[in-house]
Amino acid sequence: MELEPGNNSYVTIEEADGYIARFHKGDTADYWSGLSEQRKTTALLVACAELNSLPFAGRATYKDQPLSFPRHPSKDVPQAICYAQIEIALLPFAQCPAEVKSNQRLELQRQGVTSFSLGDLSESYGGVSGMVMEYPFLLNERISRLISRYLHGGHTTC
């Protein structure tokens, strides 16, 4: 399958490559640049599908448009949405230790664990919102910042 911006993707591989070269360094950028075009395409298609499954505020600009954006009354896709697609596509390749720990904590909470102790270390969980449970990529701070203002009931956080 091919990327078709406006139909099944917000970005092209070239746009993703440029964004990653600009905003990511080290292992993540090296790994992405070493992927085949097919693997990049697949990652971006999956990321777009994940992004479009979110409950965005408002309504689509055009009847029967295939993607969630643009949103009425705008005729443009916000740059933040394009960047969010790329960031979601990177998640399998950019698992830093803090994100791995967050994902482990989320999994514990999904299993109903409310507290955890290991020696002198203990943690208590107050629960995770339903949206984060359903869309765990929202645990990624960068992705959350990019899209929170567009979500139903969402707002920009400081």
Side-chain angles (χ1 to χ4, degrees), residues 14-36:
E14 293 77 22
E15 290 167 327
D17 288 347
Y19 172 88
I20 292 165
R22 183 175 176 200
F23 294 108
H24 287 274
K25 303 294 179 222
D27 292 343
T28 301
D30 292 343
Y31 191 84
W32 180 263
S33 68
L35 292 176
S36 68

Side-chain angles (χ1 to χ4, degrees), residues 106-157:
L106 178 63
E107 186 56 37
L108 287 172
Q109 291 173 68
R110 281 186 180 148
Q111 294 172 16
V113 174
T114 57
S115 66
F116 177 82
S117 296
L118 182 63
D120 292 337
L121 173 69
S122 66
E123 292 184 355
S124 296
Y125 307 120
V128 173
S129 74
M131 189 171 290
V132 172
M133 291 287 280
E134 193 169 345
Y135 309 103
F137 59 84
L138 291 175
L139 281 172
N140 179 287
E141 188 177 334
R142 185 179 287 182
I143 294 169
S144 184
R145 273 196 324 261
L146 286 168
I147 63 177
S148 65
R149 74 185 77 167
Y150 303 106
L151 294 173
H152 180 67
H155 55 83
T156 305
T157 57

Side-chain angles (χ1 to χ4, degrees), residues 54-61 68-73 149-153:
L54 287 166
F56 291 110
R59 63 182 172 87
T61 299
S68 295
F69 284 87
R71 305 300 279 177
H72 181 76
R149 74 185 77 167
Y150 303 106
L151 294 173
H152 180 67

Side-chain angles (χ1 to χ4, degrees), residues 3 5 8-12 15-16 19 32 40-41 43-49 51-52 67 79-91 143 146-147:
L3 287 179
N8 64 6
S9 180
Y10 294 109
V11 299
T12 64
E15 290 167 327
Y19 172 88
W32 180 263
K40 289 179 181 181
T41 297
L44 289 167
L45 288 171
V46 169
C48 190
L51 188 59
N52 281 307
L67 300 176
Q79 193 67 53
I81 295 299
C82 297
Y83 290 169
Q85 179 185 353
I86 298 165
E87 290 291 341
I88 294 168
L90 280 175
L91 282 177
I143 294 169
L146 286 168
I147 63 177

